Amino acid sequence: MDCSYPATAQKPRTMTDRLALADLTLFPATPEQTIESRKRTFVQWARGQSLEEYLHKDAIQENDEHAANGKLITWVLAPRSDPSTLDFLCSCETFRRAALVARHSPTSPALPLAASTADVQEVTAYAVASVFTPPQNRRKGYAQHMMRLLHWALAPPAALSPSTFPTAEWGPPPDARMPADARFSVLYSDVGREFYRACGTAPGARDGWVFKLKPDVLRLTESDVAALYAHDARWIRDDLARGRSSASSSGLSSCSPGASIARVGARTLCTFLPDAGVGLFVVRRTMDFTPALEPVLPTSTWGLALLPPSASTLSDVLIPAPSASPFPFVTYTLDPRALVVARLRADAETLPALLAALLVVARSERVEKVELWYMPAALRAVAEREGWRTAERGEHLSALKWYDSDGGHGTPGGRGEEREMEEEVEWVYNEKCVSDSSCATGLLGSGTHACVVWLWLTGVFTCRFCWC
């Protein structure tokens, strides 16, 4: 099998051809169009599979429970005069999902959401996936028009009345036999925020998909991570010296694990520092090369930070140094099928926001799961409440051998003191930032801590309620 156009297909349009939007509309794909759309996306998303394997995988998955019985629909933007053409302009997919909507009615405006009552309803919603335009059809407004029409195919008449459809500019609305039962739809964008927001319900409208990743979540480049690690090394020293978390003066809550760093019974804490290139090693180890042997990295961002309201850039919180206060952040590296956290600085209040932002990144990187190899017990409980899972690791087990050269409990020459037992020593901040995946990384070598906190991503466009 190959990616060539079937003999029955029309010759692809040239880069200069452009059809009037009013002459186009949205159609559910025929079986032949569905296969053609998958052949087109093969080039972009095959990830090493042959075309035969790629098509076979989709054929299997379309009969799985999440897609069967009409839950999966492939859509095409095609001429009104030729709805079954294999030379359609672009395509996308939707998955119909059962969803819940809770409408809270606080008994008092002063009460928090948790103190309110809620009317919980089961509704129908849609996840949008696989938006794809072949190169010869790009930059002509086709994909945007397809996504604008998708609102009219999914939304019920009570939300988008057919009488308000902009027929003067777009021609007649899509077929009245469309689903028209969605309470909401969602997608994950790989092209930034603006494109899908501009896919509105009318010409020029910007009432498309609104992005819920909070604007105070800053994505960190490699150089940002290096600058951050230089400060984090000092913050780690402060954490160990205090033995407990110190409140941040950055306008956010405490973001040093502090009192929950060590397990019960640990008298001595040890750790590595992420500065001086140590933490960046797990970024640099992912490099590949161009044919000219120029090094390239698989992505441009390697961390996330929650900035205080007064800051808009990383420099705002790192300068003036060295008085910069700790703030919540997470850094990561990419393994073949997983995003693995390299450093995490958060508390119970800020961890959920970082985990949610981390999932957005993970889906954009198209990995299968997210792993955290070290997390204090108090934070693990928070992560588990958010749906993450903790399990014993069967590989990459961290191990520690303690050499007590002092002869006593941290006191040079203190031979009269009791020698430290290895079970009294804990390797803290034991994340992936000190080594690569072939070495002993993760939690303390003690079997009670050799675990991983993880979340499977069952599909790029699957929400977090689909945990395994």
Side-chain angles (χ1 to χ4, degrees):
M1 300 181 72
D2 60 30
C3 290
S4 61
Y5 281 82
T8 56
Q10 300 177 24
K11 181 181 178 181
R13 294 178 181 83
T14 67
M15 297 293 288
T16 57
D17 293 336
R18 184 167 188 166
L19 298 178
L21 297 183
D23 294 333
L24 307 172
T25 194
L26 189 67
F27 298 99
T30 65
E32 295 77 14
Q33 287 174 323
T34 297
I35 294 174
E36 173 64 17
S37 72
R38 293 170 181 174
K39 287 184 177 181
R40 295 181 183 186
T41 61
F42 162 78
V43 178
Q44 189 77 21
W45 295 320
R47 300 184 66 176
Q49 293 180 322
S50 68
L51 176 60
E52 183 177 13
E53 292 170 333
Y54 184 75
L55 295 177
H56 187 54
K57 180 189 70 174
D58 281 345
I60 292 174
Q61 291 182 332
E62 70 181 3
N63 291 309
D64 288 347
E65 184 178 5
H66 76 284
N69 301 317
K71 294 176 185 175
L72 167 61
I73 300 176
T74 299
W75 302 88
V76 298
L77 183 73
R80 297 177 186 275
S81 60
D82 193 5
S84 61
T85 178
L86 296 183
D87 192 23
F88 51 87
L89 286 308
C90 49
S91 61
C92 66
E93 297 174 340
T94 58
F95 293 86
R96 188 177 73 249
R97 298 283 186 252
L100 297 178
V101 171
R103 296 186 181 278
H104 288 258
S105 302
T107 55
S108 169
L111 289 177
L113 190 64
S116 67
T117 58
D119 175 25
V120 179
Q121 295 179 320
E122 182 169 320
V123 301
T124 298
Y126 290 80
V128 184
S130 303
V131 179
F132 188 81
T133 306
Q136 70 272 14
N137 292 337
R138 293 175 186 172
R139 301 187 183 280
K140 299 178 181 179
Y142 296 144
Q144 183 185 47
H145 191 54
M146 175 180 67
M147 301 306 287
R148 295 188 296 195
L149 293 176
L150 189 61
H151 296 302
W152 293 91
L154 300 181
L160 284 177
S161 173
S163 64
T164 63
F165 188 83
T167 54
E169 298 88 350
W170 294 354
D175 194 305
R177 293 171 294 176
M178 297 297 180
D181 59 354
R183 181 61 61 89
F184 61 89
S185 63
V186 301
L187 55 76
Y188 294 93
S189 173
D190 293 336
V191 292
R193 299 169 182 264
E194 294 305 313
F195 177 80
Y196 288 108
R197 188 179 184 90
C199 295
T201 59
R206 296 181 57 80
D207 58 349
W209 285 269
V210 178
F211 290 84
K212 295 300 185 180
L213 182 62
K214 294 183 178 179
D216 56 354
V217 178
L218 177 69
R219 294 199 178 197
L220 305 176
T221 65
E222 181 185 3
S223 60
D224 290 336
V225 170
L228 186 56
Y229 280 162
H231 291 268
D232 191 40
R234 176 174 57 82
W235 298 336
I236 289 175
R237 291 177 187 273
D238 293 342
D239 292 343
L240 297 185
R242 293 187 179 95
R244 60 190 305 108
S245 63
S246 58
S248 168
S249 60
S250 63
L252 293 165
S253 59
S254 169
C255 50
S256 300
S260 59
I261 289 176
R263 58 181 167 81
V264 175
R267 297 198 306 175
T268 297
L269 309 180
C270 63
T271 189
F272 292 94
L273 296 177
D275 61 345
V278 174
L280 282 185
F281 169 62
V282 296
V283 171
R284 304 289 292 171
R285 65 178 284 274
T286 65
M287 76 170 60
D288 203 346
F289 296 91
T290 67
L293 290 182
E294 297 175 347
V296 292
L297 295 177
T299 187
S300 60
T301 59
W302 298 93
L304 301 161
L306 295 182
L307 299 184
S310 60
S312 59
T313 68
L314 191 64
S315 298
D316 292 339
V317 288
L318 293 184
I319 298 174
S323 60
S325 299
F327 54 88
F329 71 84
V330 61
T331 61
Y332 48 82
T333 187
L334 297 175
D335 277 358
R337 297 192 303 171
L339 184 151
V340 183
V341 167
R343 278 287 293 121
L344 173 67
R345 179 172 287 275
D347 63 7
E349 184 177 339
T350 56
L351 180 64
L354 281 177
L355 293 181
L358 200 60
L359 291 181
V360 174
V361 173
R363 289 187 175 99
S364 69
E365 297 295 343
R366 299 185 178 276
V367 297
E368 294 182 4
K369 61 179 176 178
V370 178
E371 294 183 350
L372 296 95
W373 291 3
Y374 172 88
M375 184 177 280
L379 294 187
R380 281 206 305 272
V382 174
E384 289 170 358
R385 288 197 296 270
E386 295 290 313
W388 295 63
R389 298 291 179 262
T390 302
E392 295 290 329
R393 292 210 313 276
E395 57 183 9
H396 309 321
L397 301 179
S398 56
L400 170 71
K401 172 60 180 173
W402 182 252
Y403 304 109
D404 187 2
S405 59
D406 294 336
H409 181 56
T411 305
R415 297 182 179 179
E417 298 287 343
E418 178 184 358
R419 293 181 61 88
E420 292 159 317
M421 304 296 289
E422 286 191 348
E423 60 266 24
E424 298 175 327
V425 179
E426 179 152 11
W427 178 7
V428 296
Y429 297 114
N430 179 6
E431 293 132 331
K432 195 177 169 66
C433 70
V434 299
S435 185
D436 69 18
S437 60
S438 63
C439 299
T441 57
L443 295 169
L444 180 69
S446 165
T448 59
H449 286 74
C451 60
V452 58
V453 183
W454 53 269
L455 184 67
W456 280 99
L457 300 176
T458 57
V460 174
F461 295 96
T462 304
C463 297
R464 279 181 21 219
F465 48 70
C466 293
W467 299 310
C468 298

